Structure formats: C-alpha cells, structure tokens
Amino acid sequence: MEKVVLAYSGGLDTSFCAVYLSKVKQLEVHAVMVNLGGFSEEEIKKTEERAYHLGVKSFHVIDDAENYYQKCIKYLIFGNVLKNNTYPLSVSSERVFQATAIANYAKKIGAKAIAHGSTGAGNDQVRFDSIFQILLPEIEIITPIRDLKLSRNEEIEFLKENGFEINFEKSQYSINKGLWGTSVGGKETLTSNLSLPETAFPTQISKTEPEEMSITFEKGEIKAVNGQEFSKPIEAIQFIQEIAQAFAIGRDTHVGDTIIGIKGRVSFEAAAPLIILKAHHLLEKHTLTKSQLFIKDQLSLSYGNYLHDGLVLDPVMQDIETLFESSQKTVNGIVKILLKTYHFSLIGVESENDLMSSKFGSYGEMNKTWTESDVKGFSKIYSNALSIYHQVNNKN
C-alpha cells in the first residue's frame, strides 16, 4: 500500500478523509496533526485516539508553535495586522505553517501523496495546495471533500455506513481552534444578514465584573502580563487568552474576498489577539514617529493580504518583516486595559520612550520648543503651495 500523509485535525472533514483514504482508496494513511499552540495535551490525546479508531496506520504530532510565533505571529503584532480592519488572520496564518510542516514530514517518510480535507469553496484548499506544490512539486495531492463535493451530512452518513458512530456535538458548525484565535462557520455565515447564536461559540461567558489587565512590551514583544513575566511570548498570549476569553471578548464576523474570487463570511473569537494588537498599536502611537506609523500602516495592509492568500514564501514577506522588526526598537512600555463583557477599552500607557512628553509642551495648552512667530512663519510656508493653487484656479 502506498503511503499518504493526511493533514489531520480530528474534525468531521479529516475524519471522513481518514476512513475514505484507507477503505476506498486502499492507501496507508499516516495522520499528522500540527500543533501551533492552540491545543491542550488532553485535546491532542483525544484526537490521537480518534485517529487510530478510524483506522490510520500512524498518528504523529508536530509541535511547531515556537516556529509559528517567530515567523508569523510576531510580525502580525509588529504590523498590527487586521484583515479588513476586523480579522486577526487566526486560521489564515496557521494553514501555511501547518502545510509546510506536513510537507516536510511527507518527504521524511517517503510518502507518495498528501491529503487534506479542504472544501472546494474556501481559501484553505489554495493555501495547502500552493505550499505542497512549492515544496514538493512532484507529489500527488488528494482532496476527497473537494473532489466528491460532499456536504457535512453526507460525510456523517458515510462514517455511519462504515461503522463509525462519532459524536460531532456541533456538526452543524465548523470550528477551527488555534493560538491566534478560533474561527466558527455555520449556516448563518453563509448568509449576509444572520449572526451566530451564542451557543455556537466554543467559549461561553463566565465573568461579568470589569477587570484591569496590563501588558508589558519590550521591543514590541510581550514580556509580562499583570506583572507576571514570561520567557516565551506564546505563554503570555495563552495567559491573556485564558483571562480574557471568559468575558467573551473578541467575537466578530469577518467579510472578505477569498483567494478564488468570491465573497466569504466567517465568525471568530479571538480575545488575546485583538487585545494584544490594539494594546501594541496604542504603544506605537506613543513611541513611533509620524512617518514610521504611516509607512507601517501601508505595509501592514500588504503583509496581511499576502499572508491571507498563502504567499508566505514570497521573498517580499521577509522584506516587510525586516522593516517591522527595525521599527520596534523603541516600542517599550506598559499598556493598561479594562476588560468588560464582550469588549475592552485601552486605558493608557507608561513608557520611557513616550514621545508625548510634557517637557516639550502640552497639546492645546502651551509649548516649550517654539515661539508664536515661529508658528506664524511655519503656517505661511506650510500653506503656500495650496494657496497658489487656489489663487490660480479660482480665477478659472
């Protein structure tokens, strides 16, 4: 039997693939789960048990969380990246790194094919296929869900017919959990006017009393939360998530253009990512120059679009990352946040690099670095070009 490496998550789609590839296609299935920091040991153990129950030859976990942070999340924070000003690219950013790890594993064990459970209507199929074709141009890519055009109910019936009674508690919803947020798709997200019910979200409200949080940044990276230091930023992200998700913070619905050219809609919960990105951005507003903020805003848009479209291996990504990293030298300080039910607010910052220093002047009150005549002369020169334009064109 030929070996096929299956990108396996334990959900309905990849469970179907595991059975279909072994029973119908008669392949030796090697299930691979790539943990990028979003799964607990208990969740991984249950996923492994399910994989073997479905008849895979082997189950392998690749822990690639640190690499994912160093090569992706760090730059999403540096760039304050929100797709369409809404979505922190939770699942989008994970897929290309999962695909890379799976491709390397397939090469290691000498697999003749790689399989994934993407449908034919989403972005993931392009992300997986592209990475596999770049890194392993000769390998066969098998995509049962896409090729057979299956509905979720048809997948469940197939599993039942083959003797697998698996309880997919929220089979009507597609949930993808990760370190940088959890996406939730269902019948409501296929419309333009309906929102998900409260029960569709994996995390339910358990805190209602407002609570303050502080995040300490050093050169743009998280070093402490509420005064507690962390050696690895990933641990800090998980700690923030644990505290903030109890408030149901970070729920929203993203509407965007898919890689294949249609509009798509997905809901998500991403408490830690949204808090971190907004806190980091506030600190940057205090510590970076006007030009730095302007240039970063432009590059952030491009970086998010390229990453969303699976183009992480394009050299331009590293070019942008170099600028992002250089810009973080003075992004140091503490940001204070107030957590509330469903939302949060930024209180303020404390930073030795704060450019809003009272020794240079107080906005709207007084200044200490120029005179009234300096401003008069500056204003005259500043407006000169537009003054000439309007004097010339008003005559016409």
Side-chain angles (χ1 to χ4, degrees):
M1 299 175 71
E2 289 190 347
K3 295 179 181 177
V4 59
V5 168
L6 170 63
Y8 184 77
S9 66
L12 175 59
D13 292 334
T14 56
S15 295
F16 171 89
C17 290
V19 177
Y20 177 81
L21 291 170
S22 61
K23 292 209 167 197
V24 178
K25 301 290 284 185
Q26 293 293 300
L27 296 171
E28 184 179 285
V29 181
H30 297 267
V32 178
M33 180 181 186
V34 182
N35 182 19
L36 299 180
F39 298 99
S40 66
E41 290 185 10
E42 182 181 355
E43 288 171 325
I44 292 173
K45 183 175 177 59
K46 287 182 178 178
T47 303
E48 179 179 9
E49 290 173 353
R50 177 178 291 174
Y52 280 118
H53 173 66
L54 293 169
V56 302
K57 178 71 174 180
S58 73
F59 176 84
H60 183 68
V61 178
I62 300 174
D63 188 345
D64 207 35
E66 185 62 25
N67 179 59
Y68 174 48
Y69 171 80
Q70 292 296 339
K71 292 184 178 179
C72 183
I73 290 182
K74 180 171 73 174
Y75 297 108
L76 291 177
I77 297 172
F78 288 175
N80 310 306
V81 178
L82 282 174
K83 177 72 171 171
N84 288 15
N85 295 316
T86 305
Y87 183 44
L89 294 174
S90 304
V91 176
S92 312
S93 61
E94 285 195 345
R95 291 298 183 249
V96 287
F97 286 88
Q98 290 170 332
T100 300
I102 289 166
N104 291 333
Y105 184 76
K107 185 176 182 180
K108 179 181 176 181
I109 68 169
K112 299 297 182 182
I114 299 181
H116 60 85
S118 301
T119 68
N123 293 312
D124 287 345
Q125 57 178 328
V126 179
R127 295 175 183 136
F128 277 114
D129 284 5
S130 296
I131 293 296
F132 295 155
Q133 288 168 3
I134 292 169
L135 298 180
L136 297 172
E138 304 300 325
I139 204 161
E140 180 186 1
I141 302 172
I142 304 174
T143 54
I145 309 299
R146 176 173 64 185
D147 297 344
L148 298 173
K149 301 178 181 179
L150 298 172
S151 68
R152 294 180 68 79
N153 286 335
E154 288 173 324
E155 293 175 51
I156 293 172
E157 285 304 312
F158 173 84
L159 290 172
K160 287 181 179 179
E161 289 169 4
N162 283 274
F164 299 100
E165 289 285 347
I166 300 175
N167 180 26
F168 290 96
E169 295 176 359
K170 293 181 179 177
S171 59
Q172 69 268 43
Y173 294 104
S174 176
I175 297 174
N176 291 282
K177 182 180 178 182
L179 174 66
W180 204 234
T182 300
S183 69
V184 186
K187 62 181 180 180
E188 293 85 359
T189 57
L190 297 176
T191 73
S192 297
N193 64 317
L194 298 178
S195 61
L196 291 180
E198 182 81 13
T199 53
F201 290 96
T203 307
Q204 298 297 301
I205 296 173
S206 58
K207 288 184 181 180
T208 55
E209 289 298 316
E211 185 177 318
E212 280 196 21
M213 172 185 284
S214 67
I215 303 177
T216 304
F217 292 91
E218 288 184 15
K219 294 184 177 180
E221 293 194 76
I222 305 171
K223 293 299 178 183
V225 180
N226 294 340
Q228 179 179 336
E229 295 189 359
F230 293 88
S231 58
K232 294 182 177 181
I234 283 180
E235 296 172 352
I237 293 170
Q238 292 169 328
F239 184 68
I240 293 170
Q241 180 67 21
E242 185 179 342
I243 295 172
Q245 68 181 358
F247 291 92
I249 289 171
R251 292 182 180 180
D252 206 342
T253 298
H254 165 61
V255 181
D257 296 286
T258 65
I259 305 171
I260 57 176
I262 60 175
K263 293 285 184 182
R265 192 167 178 250
V266 65
S267 293
F268 62 89
E269 58 175 35
L274 290 181
I275 289 171
I276 292 166
L277 290 172
K278 292 300 182 181
H280 177 267
H281 195 203
L282 178 61
L283 185 58
E284 283 197 329
K285 291 177 185 178
H286 282 266
T287 59
L288 296 187
T289 68
K290 177 181 178 180
S291 297
Q292 282 180 302
L293 290 168
F294 178 79
I295 292 297
K296 285 186 76 263
D297 281 347
Q298 316 310 307
L299 291 177
S300 172
L301 182 62
S302 296
Y303 191 84
N305 286 338
Y306 290 140
L307 182 59
H308 173 272
D309 291 353
L311 300 175
V312 71
L313 296 179
D314 191 313
V316 74
M317 296 292 279
Q318 285 70 58
D319 297 336
I320 298 174
E321 289 166 0
T322 299
L323 185 140
F324 280 171
E325 190 136 24
S326 175
S327 72
Q328 299 302 294
K329 295 172 185 175
T330 61
V331 185
N332 307 301
I334 299 172
V335 183
K336 295 181 179 179
I337 307 111
L338 181 62
L339 308 179
K340 307 172 187 177
T341 306
Y342 293 115
H343 70 287
F344 65 94
S345 57
L346 302 174
I347 299 171
V349 309
E350 296 174 4
S351 173
E352 293 182 355
N353 301 100
D354 191 353
L355 300 178
M356 190 177 165
S357 174
S358 60
K359 74 178 183 179
F360 299 113
S362 298
Y363 175 69
E365 295 183 10
M366 63 180 293
N367 70 78
K368 300 177 182 179
T369 55
W370 63 82
T371 66
E372 293 78 10
S373 58
D374 290 335
V375 178
K376 289 179 182 179
F378 168 76
S379 298
K380 190 172 183 64
I381 295 171
Y382 182 71
S383 61
N384 188 51
L386 283 176
S387 177
I388 293 171
Y389 172 87
H390 285 283
Q391 289 180 59
V392 170
N393 288 287
N394 283 345
K395 295 178 181 179
N396 299 320

